[in-house]
Amino acid sequence: MILKASQRSGAAALADHLMNSLDNDHIELLETRGFIAEDLHEAFAEAHAISNATRCRQFLFSLSLNPPLDHVASEEQFLDAADRIEERLGLGGQPRAIVIHEKEGRRHAHVVWSRIDGAELKAINLPHFKNKLRDLSRDLFLDHGWELPKGLQSYGAKSPLNFTLEEWQQAKRTGIAPREIKQIFQSAWERSDSQTGFKNALEERGYFLAKGDRRGFVALDVDGNVYSVPKWTGLKTKEVKARFGDPGALPSVAETRTNLNRKVTHQMRDYIDEIKSDQSQAREPLRDELRVMKAAHRAERKKLKEGQSKRWQEETKARSARLNKGLRGIFDRLTGAAKHTKRKNEREAYKCAKRDQTQRNRLVIAQMKERKKLQKRIQKLREKQKQDRHIMMRDVVASLRRLRDPDQLQRDRQRGRTPRLSR
């Protein structure tokens, strides 16, 4: 499993994110251990209250567990991974919560521990936790017989799925996947060895280099959204400056945005809006199918949960009835019969719990197979629309160049290139 973690505060915000049913097909609160409350918001509020007795600000340790794309992890595998992680990091016995998310045909989990030692009222130090998690991630891949990703083979490459929350939110606002944006910037970097070359490579994909206020090199898309070049290329600021020098000759963000607003005509914007509208309408039938599937799957899980809960209550009542009361109960305790009955009840309760867990896993795996089939169709449409967007951006850039250079239109006509946007 790919493991990504951080020390953090913001108990309420984290609970909101983990229980966000809008962005996930299914959410399951698998475990709340060591908290008085069973509700996630109240559990994290407990951790926050205890942290107030210390000087620790980042009192939570949040970890995501991401199995390979082609594998559906079970509850047992997530629990086993969480146990191994807390043992490796020194968080054994600390209050923790485990939440399972299912989205776009994938199943992953989030584990959150309280870092505050309740007995000593001090934060547990987690030195070198990233290196420890990297090694443990490699062990989990090998133990389960999964193919090691390149990042774990060499330790040199960061997984393209490991984006920061800020990157993910910005990419989501623009409607383009963060992986796609990052590939554009990284490809432009690899293809260029100068500021001019990088600028041209970005413009081919609809991004325009500018001088940021304090971030040095930034880029803007045709809608005026700003992207930090070091962040989206995955490099350090000094590496970018070492290759491209001083960004002082570039226009500012405000100047670049003004130029884009002036140069991109209403006709171009209408064309862009039309493409976006058409793509949104094309996605609607799949969205409807997904909504129906999510509702059906949630109903099946609710029915199973209610059935298991009712059966558990009946079985618990039956086990409890085996224990005699009154004088017979006293006699059973004296003879040891009560102790024997309790042990039998515990064994049966454990078997029943494992049976229920197996039923839940079977249902999840069956539903995930159905969801993956739909996701393949969604992904196929996404890839087609991605290509359409690339063509659209290429045409926008060509039109912008013609606006900068009136003679470019005549040269394009001589070369047999017909402008697609200047209709």
Side-chain angles (χ1 to χ4, degrees), residues 357-373:
Q357 185 183 65
T358 300
Q359 286 181 334
R360 291 194 299 270
N361 282 335
R362 285 175 180 172
L363 178 61
V364 167
I365 291 173
Q367 289 183 347
M368 290 288 285
K369 287 181 179 178
E370 186 179 359
R371 179 65 176 85
K372 282 179 179 292
K373 290 180 180 178

Side-chain angles (χ1 to χ4, degrees), residues 36 74 221 239 352 361 371:
I36 297 176
S74 66
D221 61 20
E239 293 180 85
C352 290
N361 282 335
R371 179 65 176 85

Side-chain angles (χ1 to χ4, degrees), residues 180-209 219-220 229 233 243-244 390 393-394 397 401 404:
E180 182 180 342
I181 297 175
K182 213 153 197 177
Q183 284 180 347
I184 290 171
F185 278 75
Q186 291 174 344
S187 174
W189 173 269
E190 293 171 358
R191 291 166 51 193
S192 59
D193 57 4
S194 66
Q195 185 180 130
T196 301
F198 185 68
K199 177 175 178 291
N200 293 335
L202 281 181
E203 287 190 4
E204 289 178 2
R205 302 296 295 275
Y207 295 85
F208 303 87
L209 202 59
L220 283 75
V229 170
T233 53
R243 178 179 291 189
F244 297 152
H390 287 173
M393 298 313 302
R394 183 194 65 191
V397 171
R401 286 175 175 169
R404 288 198 299 264

Side-chain angles (χ1 to χ4, degrees), residues 287-328:
R287 290 197 192 105
D288 291 339
E289 191 172 342
L290 176 58
R291 281 192 287 267
V292 172
M293 182 181 291
K294 285 170 61 175
H297 285 181
R298 288 178 177 178
E300 289 175 356
R301 296 191 189 195
K302 182 180 179 182
K303 182 179 179 180
L304 177 63
K305 183 177 181 180
E306 291 174 349
Q308 287 185 339
S309 177
K310 182 179 179 181
R311 182 174 61 189
W312 181 264
Q313 292 175 4
E314 293 172 351
E315 292 172 344
T316 301
K317 185 177 180 181
R319 287 191 291 267
S320 179
R322 296 173 184 167
L323 296 170
N324 292 318
K325 300 178 181 178
L327 292 175
R328 293 195 65 180

Side-chain angles (χ1 to χ4, degrees), residues 255-272:
E255 291 170 340
T256 304
R257 188 176 284 120
T258 300
N259 291 336
L260 287 172
N261 289 336
R262 185 181 71 249
K263 292 174 181 177
V264 179
T265 65
H266 291 294
Q267 189 175 19
M268 293 178 188
R269 289 198 175 277
D270 289 343
Y271 179 78
I272 293 172

Side-chain angles (χ1 to χ4, degrees), residues 88-294:
R88 183 75 61 93
L89 299 183
L91 290 169
Q94 284 297 109
R96 80 180 184 193
I98 302 179
V99 180
I100 296 178
H101 285 176
E102 292 177 35
K103 178 180 179 182
E104 298 188 347
R106 296 194 62 192
R107 195 185 199 207
H108 65 277
H110 297 267
V111 188
V112 181
W113 288 269
S114 169
R115 292 183 56 219
I116 307 302
D117 185 333
E120 308 237 352
L121 285 181
K122 66 178 183 180
I124 296 175
N125 190 27
L126 301 172
H128 312 297
F129 72 84
K130 291 184 179 180
N131 291 337
K132 293 177 182 178
L133 289 177
R134 179 199 65 191
D135 294 337
L136 183 54
S137 178
R138 188 172 186 273
D139 292 343
L140 289 170
F141 271 87
L142 294 174
D143 291 347
H144 291 295
W146 301 331
E147 183 179 354
L148 279 173
K150 292 182 179 180
L152 292 180
Q153 290 175 4
S154 63
Y155 294 152
K158 180 182 177 183
S159 169
L161 297 177
N162 294 337
F163 299 103
T164 65
L165 181 59
E166 181 182 356
E167 290 171 344
W168 177 82
Q169 287 174 332
Q170 184 180 23
K172 193 171 183 180
R173 284 196 299 270
T174 62
I176 303 176
R179 180 187 298 184
E180 182 180 342
I181 297 175
K182 213 153 197 177
Q183 284 180 347
I184 290 171
F185 278 75
Q186 291 174 344
S187 174
W189 173 269
E190 293 171 358
R191 291 166 51 193
S192 59
D193 57 4
S194 66
Q195 185 180 130
T196 301
F198 185 68
K199 177 175 178 291
N200 293 335
L202 281 181
E203 287 190 4
E204 289 178 2
R205 302 296 295 275
Y207 295 85
F208 303 87
L209 202 59
K211 175 182 62 180
D213 296 334
R214 285 182 289 179
R215 290 176 292 183
F217 290 94
V218 298
L220 283 75
D221 61 20
V222 291
D223 291 322
N225 299 302
V226 181
Y227 302 83
S228 169
V229 170
K231 179 183 295 184
W232 287 92
T233 53
L235 300 168
K236 295 181 179 179
T237 301
K238 62 180 181 181
E239 293 180 85
V240 176
K241 287 186 176 180
R243 178 179 291 189
F244 297 152
D246 186 8
L250 293 171
S252 67
V253 170
E255 291 170 340
T256 304
R257 188 176 284 120
T258 300
N259 291 336
L260 287 172
N261 289 336
R262 185 181 71 249
K263 292 174 181 177
V264 179
T265 65
H266 291 294
Q267 189 175 19
M268 293 178 188
R269 289 198 175 277
D270 289 343
Y271 179 78
I272 293 172
D273 292 340
E274 182 182 350
I275 289 291
K276 290 181 178 179
S277 176
D278 290 345
Q279 290 191 348
S280 180
Q281 291 178 12
R283 293 193 296 266
E284 196 59 36
L286 290 177
R287 290 197 192 105
D288 291 339
E289 191 172 342
L290 176 58
R291 281 192 287 267
V292 172
M293 182 181 291
K294 285 170 61 175

Side-chain angles (χ1 to χ4, degrees), residues 18-118:
L18 294 181
M19 301 306 293
N20 178 12
S21 60
L22 295 178
D23 289 338
N24 295 283
D25 295 350
H26 303 283
I27 297 175
E28 179 184 357
L29 180 57
L30 181 62
E31 178 186 86
T32 51
R33 183 196 71 188
F35 298 104
I36 297 176
E38 294 182 356
D39 176 79
L40 193 65
H41 286 82
E42 294 178 0
F44 287 179
E46 286 180 32
H48 182 219
I50 295 174
S51 74
N52 288 333
T54 72
R55 296 166 62 184
C56 178
R57 294 292 174 262
Q58 296 179 325
F59 54 92
L60 296 175
F61 186 73
S62 177
L63 173 80
S64 64
L65 301 90
N66 297 280
L69 283 169
D70 56 351
H71 182 79
V72 180
S74 66
E75 293 178 3
E76 285 184 328
Q77 288 175 329
F78 285 132
L79 288 167
D80 174 67
D83 291 339
R84 293 171 65 175
I85 290 165
E86 70 178 25
E87 179 181 357
R88 183 75 61 93
L89 299 183
L91 290 169
Q94 284 297 109
R96 80 180 184 193
I98 302 179
V99 180
I100 296 178
H101 285 176
E102 292 177 35
K103 178 180 179 182
E104 298 188 347
R106 296 194 62 192
R107 195 185 199 207
H108 65 277
H110 297 267
V111 188
V112 181
W113 288 269
S114 169
R115 292 183 56 219
I116 307 302
D117 185 333

